[in-house]
Short mmCIF file of all heavy atoms in Angstrom, two decimals:
data_model
loop_
_atom_site.label_atom_id
_atom_site.label_comp_id
_atom_site.label_asym_id
_atom_site.label_seq_id
_atom_site.Cartn_x
_atom_site.Cartn_y
_atom_site.Cartn_z
N HIS A 757 0.83 -1.20 0.00
CA HIS A 757 0.00 -0.01 0.01
C HIS A 757 0.88 1.23 0.00
O HIS A 757 1.52 1.56 0.99
CB HIS A 757 -0.99 -0.04 1.16
CG HIS A 757 -1.90 -1.20 1.12
ND1 HIS A 757 -2.88 -1.30 0.14
CD2 HIS A 757 -1.98 -2.33 1.84
CE1 HIS A 757 -3.52 -2.43 0.30
NE2 HIS A 757 -2.99 -3.09 1.32
N TRP A 758 0.87 1.91 -1.14
CA TRP A 758 1.68 3.11 -1.31
C TRP A 758 0.73 4.33 -1.30
O TRP A 758 -0.46 4.22 -1.62
CB TRP A 758 2.39 3.08 -2.68
CG TRP A 758 3.35 1.93 -2.84
CD1 TRP A 758 3.91 1.19 -1.83
CD2 TRP A 758 3.86 1.40 -4.06
NE1 TRP A 758 4.76 0.30 -2.35
CE2 TRP A 758 4.75 0.35 -3.71
CE3 TRP A 758 3.69 1.70 -5.37
CZ2 TRP A 758 5.45 -0.37 -4.66
CZ3 TRP A 758 4.38 1.01 -6.31
CH2 TRP A 758 5.25 -0.04 -5.95
N VAL A 759 1.28 5.51 -1.07
CA VAL A 759 0.52 6.74 -1.13
C VAL A 759 0.26 7.11 -2.59
O VAL A 759 1.01 6.71 -3.47
CB VAL A 759 1.22 7.88 -0.35
CG1 VAL A 759 1.30 7.57 1.11
CG2 VAL A 759 2.56 8.18 -0.99
N ALA A 760 -0.75 7.88 -2.84
CA ALA A 760 -1.11 8.28 -4.18
C ALA A 760 -0.01 8.98 -4.89
O ALA A 760 0.22 8.81 -6.10
CB ALA A 760 -2.38 9.18 -4.14
N ALA A 761 0.78 9.77 -4.16
CA ALA A 761 1.88 10.51 -4.79
C ALA A 761 2.95 9.57 -5.39
O ALA A 761 3.60 9.90 -6.37
CB ALA A 761 2.54 11.42 -3.77
N GLU A 762 3.12 8.40 -4.80
CA GLU A 762 4.06 7.41 -5.33
C GLU A 762 3.66 6.95 -6.72
O GLU A 762 4.46 6.90 -7.67
CB GLU A 762 4.16 6.19 -4.37
CG GLU A 762 5.19 5.22 -4.73
CD GLU A 762 6.59 5.63 -4.36
OE1 GLU A 762 6.75 6.55 -3.55
OE2 GLU A 762 7.55 5.07 -4.90
N TYR A 763 2.40 6.60 -6.89
CA TYR A 763 1.89 6.21 -8.23
C TYR A 763 1.97 7.38 -9.21
O TYR A 763 2.35 7.19 -10.37
CB TYR A 763 0.47 5.69 -8.14
CG TYR A 763 0.32 4.37 -7.41
CD1 TYR A 763 -0.17 4.31 -6.14
CD2 TYR A 763 0.72 3.20 -8.03
CE1 TYR A 763 -0.26 3.11 -5.43
CE2 TYR A 763 0.63 1.95 -7.38
CZ TYR A 763 0.15 1.95 -6.06
OH TYR A 763 0.05 0.73 -5.41
N ALA A 764 1.60 8.57 -8.75
CA ALA A 764 1.67 9.75 -9.65
C ALA A 764 3.12 9.99 -10.11
O ALA A 764 3.34 10.32 -11.27
CB ALA A 764 1.12 10.98 -8.92
N ALA A 765 4.06 9.81 -9.22
CA ALA A 765 5.47 9.99 -9.63
C ALA A 765 5.90 8.96 -10.66
O ALA A 765 6.69 9.30 -11.56
CB ALA A 765 6.37 9.89 -8.38
N ILE A 766 5.43 7.76 -10.55
CA ILE A 766 5.74 6.72 -11.56
C ILE A 766 5.27 7.11 -12.91
O ILE A 766 5.95 7.04 -13.93
CB ILE A 766 5.17 5.33 -11.11
CG1 ILE A 766 5.83 4.85 -9.85
CG2 ILE A 766 5.38 4.28 -12.24
CD1 ILE A 766 5.11 3.64 -9.24
N VAL A 767 4.01 7.59 -12.95
CA VAL A 767 3.39 7.96 -14.22
C VAL A 767 4.07 9.18 -14.81
O VAL A 767 4.27 9.28 -16.05
CB VAL A 767 1.86 8.16 -14.02
CG1 VAL A 767 1.23 8.79 -15.28
CG2 VAL A 767 1.18 6.87 -13.72
N ALA A 768 4.44 10.11 -13.97
CA ALA A 768 5.00 11.39 -14.46
C ALA A 768 6.42 11.26 -14.95
O ALA A 768 6.81 12.04 -15.85
CB ALA A 768 4.94 12.44 -13.34
N SER A 769 7.18 10.35 -14.42
CA SER A 769 8.62 10.32 -14.77
C SER A 769 9.02 8.96 -15.40
O SER A 769 8.71 7.93 -14.85
CB SER A 769 9.46 10.49 -13.50
OG SER A 769 10.84 10.34 -13.80
N ARG A 770 9.64 9.02 -16.55
CA ARG A 770 10.07 7.80 -17.23
C ARG A 770 11.59 7.76 -17.43
O ARG A 770 12.14 6.86 -17.94
CB ARG A 770 9.42 7.68 -18.62
CG ARG A 770 7.89 7.71 -18.56
CD ARG A 770 7.39 6.32 -18.76
NE ARG A 770 5.95 6.38 -19.07
CZ ARG A 770 5.02 6.29 -18.15
NH1 ARG A 770 5.28 6.20 -16.89
NH2 ARG A 770 3.73 6.27 -18.52
N ASP A 771 12.29 8.81 -16.99
CA ASP A 771 13.74 8.91 -17.21
C ASP A 771 14.49 9.01 -15.88
O ASP A 771 13.90 9.21 -14.84
CB ASP A 771 14.06 10.13 -18.08
CG ASP A 771 13.42 10.03 -19.46
OD1 ASP A 771 13.41 8.95 -20.02
OD2 ASP A 771 12.92 11.04 -19.93
N GLY A 772 15.79 8.95 -15.95
CA GLY A 772 16.62 9.10 -14.81
C GLY A 772 17.33 7.84 -14.43
O GLY A 772 17.21 6.79 -15.07
N GLY A 773 18.07 7.85 -13.27
CA GLY A 773 18.80 6.70 -12.79
C GLY A 773 17.91 5.58 -12.36
O GLY A 773 18.21 4.40 -12.59
N VAL A 774 16.74 5.92 -11.81
CA VAL A 774 15.77 4.93 -11.42
C VAL A 774 14.56 5.12 -12.38
O VAL A 774 13.97 6.17 -12.43
CB VAL A 774 15.30 5.11 -9.95
CG1 VAL A 774 14.18 4.12 -9.63
CG2 VAL A 774 16.46 4.95 -9.01
N ARG A 775 14.30 4.09 -13.14
CA ARG A 775 13.11 4.14 -14.06
C ARG A 775 12.05 3.23 -13.52
O ARG A 775 12.33 2.09 -13.07
CB ARG A 775 13.55 3.70 -15.43
CG ARG A 775 14.52 4.68 -16.08
CD ARG A 775 15.10 4.16 -17.35
NE ARG A 775 15.75 2.85 -17.17
CZ ARG A 775 17.05 2.66 -17.17
NH1 ARG A 775 17.87 3.66 -17.31
NH2 ARG A 775 17.57 1.49 -16.99
N ARG A 776 10.82 3.67 -13.52
CA ARG A 776 9.71 2.87 -13.06
C ARG A 776 8.60 2.96 -14.06
O ARG A 776 8.47 3.98 -14.77
CB ARG A 776 9.21 3.34 -11.70
CG ARG A 776 10.29 3.15 -10.62
CD ARG A 776 9.90 3.77 -9.32
NE ARG A 776 9.04 2.87 -8.58
CZ ARG A 776 8.37 3.24 -7.50
NH1 ARG A 776 8.40 4.50 -7.10
NH2 ARG A 776 7.61 2.40 -6.87
N CYS A 777 7.79 1.90 -14.14
CA CYS A 777 6.69 1.90 -15.09
C CYS A 777 5.49 1.23 -14.47
O CYS A 777 5.64 0.19 -13.79
CB CYS A 777 7.10 1.14 -16.38
SG CYS A 777 5.98 1.49 -17.75
N LEU A 778 4.32 1.80 -14.66
CA LEU A 778 3.05 1.31 -14.16
C LEU A 778 2.25 0.85 -15.34
O LEU A 778 1.96 1.63 -16.24
CB LEU A 778 2.32 2.42 -13.36
CG LEU A 778 0.92 2.14 -12.91
CD1 LEU A 778 0.85 0.95 -11.94
CD2 LEU A 778 0.35 3.40 -12.30
N PHE A 779 1.93 -0.44 -15.34
CA PHE A 779 1.06 -1.01 -16.38
C PHE A 779 -0.30 -1.28 -15.80
O PHE A 779 -0.44 -1.63 -14.64
CB PHE A 779 1.65 -2.33 -16.88
CG PHE A 779 2.88 -2.22 -17.66
CD1 PHE A 779 4.12 -2.25 -17.06
CD2 PHE A 779 2.84 -2.03 -19.06
CE1 PHE A 779 5.30 -2.13 -17.81
CE2 PHE A 779 4.01 -1.89 -19.83
CZ PHE A 779 5.24 -1.96 -19.16
N VAL A 780 -1.34 -1.11 -16.62
CA VAL A 780 -2.71 -1.48 -16.19
C VAL A 780 -3.29 -2.50 -17.17
O VAL A 780 -2.91 -2.53 -18.34
CB VAL A 780 -3.64 -0.25 -16.13
CG1 VAL A 780 -3.24 0.68 -14.99
CG2 VAL A 780 -3.77 0.48 -17.45
N ALA A 781 -4.19 -3.31 -16.63
CA ALA A 781 -4.99 -4.21 -17.41
C ALA A 781 -6.37 -3.66 -17.38
O ALA A 781 -6.90 -3.34 -16.31
CB ALA A 781 -4.95 -5.63 -16.82
N GLU A 782 -7.01 -3.54 -18.57
CA GLU A 782 -8.36 -2.98 -18.62
C GLU A 782 -9.24 -3.82 -19.52
O GLU A 782 -8.81 -4.47 -20.45
CB GLU A 782 -8.37 -1.55 -19.06
CG GLU A 782 -7.96 -1.34 -20.49
CD GLU A 782 -8.08 0.12 -20.94
OE1 GLU A 782 -8.34 1.01 -20.11
OE2 GLU A 782 -7.85 0.39 -22.15
N VAL A 783 -10.53 -3.82 -19.14
CA VAL A 783 -11.59 -4.46 -19.96
C VAL A 783 -12.66 -3.41 -20.12
O VAL A 783 -13.16 -2.89 -19.13
CB VAL A 783 -12.16 -5.70 -19.29
CG1 VAL A 783 -13.36 -6.25 -20.04
CG2 VAL A 783 -11.08 -6.80 -19.15
N GLU A 784 -12.98 -3.07 -21.37
CA GLU A 784 -14.03 -2.09 -21.67
C GLU A 784 -13.84 -0.81 -20.88
O GLU A 784 -14.76 -0.24 -20.31
CB GLU A 784 -15.41 -2.70 -21.41
CG GLU A 784 -15.68 -3.86 -22.32
CD GLU A 784 -17.03 -4.58 -22.01
OE1 GLU A 784 -17.71 -4.12 -21.08
OE2 GLU A 784 -17.31 -5.57 -22.67
N GLY A 785 -12.56 -0.36 -20.80
CA GLY A 785 -12.27 0.91 -20.14
C GLY A 785 -12.17 0.85 -18.60
O GLY A 785 -11.88 1.84 -17.97
N ARG A 786 -12.38 -0.34 -18.04
CA ARG A 786 -12.32 -0.49 -16.58
C ARG A 786 -11.00 -1.16 -16.19
O ARG A 786 -10.70 -2.26 -16.69
CB ARG A 786 -13.51 -1.31 -16.06
CG ARG A 786 -13.63 -1.38 -14.57
CD ARG A 786 -14.90 -2.08 -14.11
NE ARG A 786 -14.82 -3.53 -14.30
CZ ARG A 786 -14.22 -4.37 -13.46
NH1 ARG A 786 -13.70 -3.94 -12.35
NH2 ARG A 786 -14.27 -5.66 -13.72
#
């Protein structure tokens, strides 16, 4: 369980020494 800011930081930043990526699985937009 991470704080919302942690997920937002992953989405906002794709470069740098530490790279993180958030993938989602969706069905009909959900």
Side-chain angles (χ1 to χ4, degrees):
H757 297 293
W758 298 341
V759 296
E762 185 78 17
Y763 291 105
I766 295 168
V767 171
S769 175
R770 303 256 195 268
D771 299 319
V774 176
R775 294 172 303 255
R776 295 173 83 193
C777 196
L778 172 62
F779 290 91
V780 293
E782 68 176 5
V783 173
E784 297 176 0
R786 187 175 74 83

